[in-house]
Amino acid sequence: MIPYRSIEQTEGIRTPLAPEMVNALELWYRMYRDQAPWKKPGVVKSLNLASMIAGEIARQVVLEMKWRIEATDPGRAPGGEARARYLSAEFGKLMEVLRQKLEQGCAAGGMIVKPWPNPLDGHIYFDFAMDWGICPLAFDDGGGLSDVIIPDVFREGESIYTRLERHRLEGEDVVITQRAFKSNRENALGVEVPLSAVPRWAGLKRSARITGAGGALFGWYRTAAANHVDAGCPLGSSVYARAAEVIREADMQYSRLLWEYEGGELAVDVDPTALMPRTDGAGNALPRLNERLFRAVDTGAEETYRVFAPELRDGSLVNGLNQLLMRIEDLCGLSRGTLSEAGAEARTATELRILRQRSYATVADNQRALEKCLRDVIRAMDVYATAYGLAPEGAFAVSFEWDDSILTDVGQQLQERLMLLESGVLGRVELRQWYLGETEAQARAAVAKIREENARASDGSDDDLFPQG
């Protein structure tokens, strides 16, 4: 967790976050790391539901996601093609790790994706900061971050180094300032040191202004769930925030179930005299009895042993746990059966659609939020590419396609759209945009090329390309 008070004292500022919001961020962080405050060794065990919920939502959000960065006028604008190729190659590196980082972002209620250029090798790299690890200072009228501190922390031996990178919007410009600190204690900034004193930060400037950025030089993803902890705070809310109390009850119930199994294990209570160590004729100890099965107990009766085999009450405990899991699904916007054991299977396509509707709505809302974040990331990459001359300048277009197979079957959708195409309700360009994720310019160029090839084939002008015999 970020040391808010240390940063406030060092920077001479105050974060607008209420204490309730700071406490909630800490709780979400501990739950994700399976260190919830109610977890007690040997007493209360965990189902680790928090990370499971965040991981499942992140998986469904990016499932078969498609994206394209293409020149708006291919073939006629070489600068646009070169810029699009460069951004596409660099952006692809982000896509390789997006799902893992998005899982943490879903748990934290949001995350910052910050691109940064390296003029030495000509590439753009990406840093990620979860909402529980940033210090927001101000928000704009649209609820976006207009002033924020993004810490970068690493340990070297006994020393902990922290770099505070502050991004502040001033009109169309972005002012970036950086300070470095060294400490020997966790969650403390310690004393300030020059950036040049830390090898990995030696090449960084203390401050910089980037003009005409058009917005923050990062993308900020906020979960689609409303913030119920602090209704006036623009920060997002963890995907499992509303279910925190029920997750606690589920862990308690799960612990009761485990205790029922452990306490109800088959055992044989044996008179202590029957379990006395024995040796063979050579003085070697005979094999010991199974200590888990046999217990030395003075039964107070004449019989030497008595079998302990109580009837388990696991049925009612399992049913109770399943009810709690279904409640968690409802609170987290997940379909029944995601965590719980579904009581009955859907028998028709309509029933299946109804069961999946809740998850679809949750995933679709978060896909829109993530797309906004990624578009801002690409905009920031474009600004850096121009500022550092990383690629020729030119116009390009960005498109995203999000898979909705959670709710619908793509094959069935394709057949329906082909029927609309045949009836003239849908155009070929629209069909290609939907199915292939192309931009309108790409789709029109592809359709025109296909028509040209079909025309040549019909008048026999392609005979020289495909000779007979």
Side-chain angles (χ1 to χ4, degrees), residues 34-41 44-46:
D34 200 24
Q35 297 177 357
W38 57 80
K39 184 179 177 182
K40 298 179 181 179
V44 180
K45 299 184 179 181
S46 170

Side-chain angles (χ1 to χ4, degrees), residues 270-312:
V270 185
D271 191 276
T273 58
L275 293 177
M276 292 179 63
R278 300 182 181 181
T279 59
D280 56 17
N284 298 318
L286 295 174
R288 300 182 65 182
L289 295 172
N290 189 322
E291 296 181 355
R292 182 172 178 178
L293 178 62
F294 296 97
R295 303 182 302 191
V297 178
D298 187 358
T299 61
E302 295 183 358
E303 63 267 19
T304 306
Y305 67 90
R306 182 169 57 197
V307 177
F308 176 78
E311 182 178 354
L312 296 179

Side-chain angles (χ1 to χ4, degrees), residues 56-65 102 106 221 362-364 366-368 370 402-403 406:
E56 177 62 19
I57 291 179
R59 183 189 69 83
Q60 294 187 24
V61 166
V62 300
L63 184 65
E64 298 182 16
M65 181 187 73
L102 181 61
C106 288
Y221 162 74
T362 300
V363 169
N366 281 281
Q367 285 173 341
R368 285 190 289 270
L370 181 60
W402 303 93
D403 178 71
I406 299 172

Side-chain angles (χ1 to χ4, degrees), residues 67 86-98 116 121-126 128 381:
W67 58 274
Y86 174 79
L87 293 178
S88 183
E90 301 302 309
F91 189 71
K93 297 185 298 186
L94 169 61
M95 293 297 99
E96 294 177 0
V97 298
L98 180 62
W116 58 274
D121 61 13
H123 290 290
I124 295 178
Y125 300 89
F126 302 90
F128 300 85
M381 293 171 61

Side-chain angles (χ1 to χ4, degrees), residues 409-419 431 434-435:
D409 178 50
V410 176
Q412 179 183 353
Q413 276 194 315
L414 177 60
Q415 294 301 321
E416 293 174 353
R417 298 195 182 212
L418 287 174
M419 293 176 62
L431 181 61
W434 168 76
Y435 191 72

Side-chain angles (χ1 to χ4, degrees), residues 118-140:
N118 187 346
L120 298 178
D121 61 13
H123 290 290
I124 295 178
Y125 300 89
F126 302 90
D127 287 337
F128 300 85
M130 306 305 136
D131 275 12
W132 54 45
I134 65 174
C135 183
L137 303 177
F139 302 90
D140 58 27

